[in-house]
């Protein structure tokens, strides 16, 4: 048996890169209501996201995420810059990235896919709809999709 998390013997590791505390709370609430085991790690800007992914500074012992939820509008280093760096790194590029943002701008959608985002979700304004959206993609990504095994 491979040590892939597909067996669900370990929780999925999810990195949420989000600077809006309200959206962080709604995402945490959605995951809490879901039946899928996962661990949600939260960082609030692009620089912290990259430190987490490269396990630098205070993040030396953090797990490699199975999935990244990335807001585009971030302080310091924006989501597009994080996505570009992540997808340009051969060790990290296999981690699926879901852009979860309030932007409905077509150029943001196009640019995210050009930078190899795996999906683009627009955050609903209504909190209940937001929770439902997060739960739907959680179910899809962790029940239906096969994620790549962790790199060696």
């Amino acid at each position: 048996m491979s040590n892939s998390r597909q067996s669900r013997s370990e929780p999925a590791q999810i990195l949420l890169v989000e600077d809006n505390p309200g959206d962080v709370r709604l995402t945490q609430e959605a995951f809490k209501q879901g039946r899928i085991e996962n661990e949600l790690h939260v960082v609030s800007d692009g620089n912290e996201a990259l430190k987490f992914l490269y396990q630098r500074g205070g993040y030396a012992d953090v797990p490699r995420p199975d999935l990244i939820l990335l807001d585009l509008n971030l302080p310091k280093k924006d989501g597009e810059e994080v996505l570009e760096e992540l997808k340009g790194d051969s060790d990290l590029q296999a981690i699926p990235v879901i852009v979860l943002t309030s932007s409905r701008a077509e150029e943001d959608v196009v640019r995210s896919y050009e930078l190899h985002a795996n999906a683009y979700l627009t955050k609903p304004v209504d909190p209940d709809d937001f929770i439902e959206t997060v739960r739907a993609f959680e179910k899809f990504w962790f029940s239906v999709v096969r994620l790549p095994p962790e790199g060696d």
Side-chain angles (χ1 to χ4, degrees):
M1 180 146 161
S2 86
N3 73 357
S4 165
R5 296 185 213 282
Q6 292 309 106
S7 64
R8 287 293 127 240
S9 58
E10 308 177 41
Q13 303 293 328
I14 301 167
L15 176 61
L16 173 62
V17 187
E18 173 60 72
D19 65 321
N20 180 322
D23 289 350
V24 169
R25 272 194 310 277
L26 285 172
T27 304
Q28 289 169 328
E29 180 66 28
F31 281 124
K32 223 178 278 172
Q33 289 179 16
R35 292 175 193 67
I36 297 159
E37 278 287 303
N38 61 61
E39 256 181 69
L40 187 64
H41 306 273
V42 181
V43 295
S44 60
D45 67 58
N47 289 338
E48 290 299 308
L50 291 170
K51 284 184 198 169
F52 187 103
L53 291 163
Y54 288 112
Q55 297 176 312
R56 293 182 186 137
Y59 300 108
D61 297 322
V62 298
R64 174 188 167 103
D66 295 303
L67 185 73
I68 299 166
L69 297 176
L70 180 65
D71 187 17
L72 290 183
N73 304 313
L74 296 168
K76 298 182 182 168
K77 189 178 281 261
D78 72 25
E80 278 189 4
E81 292 173 292
V82 172
L83 186 57
E84 191 163 20
E85 189 163 334
L86 175 68
K87 292 301 184 177
D89 184 300
S90 59
D91 291 332
L92 300 173
Q93 65 188 198
I95 302 171
V97 177
I98 314 298
V99 172
L100 183 63
T101 185
S102 51
S103 173
R104 295 176 183 275
E106 197 168 298
E107 62 268 21
D108 287 343
V109 177
V110 169
R111 183 77 181 130
S112 293
Y113 283 118
E114 284 175 351
L115 293 171
H116 307 290
N118 297 81
Y120 188 102
L121 297 174
T122 303
K123 296 175 191 169
V125 176
D126 178 84
D128 291 333
D129 291 344
F130 184 100
I131 288 172
E132 200 47 52
T133 297
V134 172
R135 288 184 64 195
F137 89 73
E138 177 194 30
K139 185 174 183 190
F140 174 74
W141 281 97
F142 294 112
S143 297
V144 180
V145 173
R146 278 206 58 169
L147 294 172
E150 197 171 311
D152 294 323

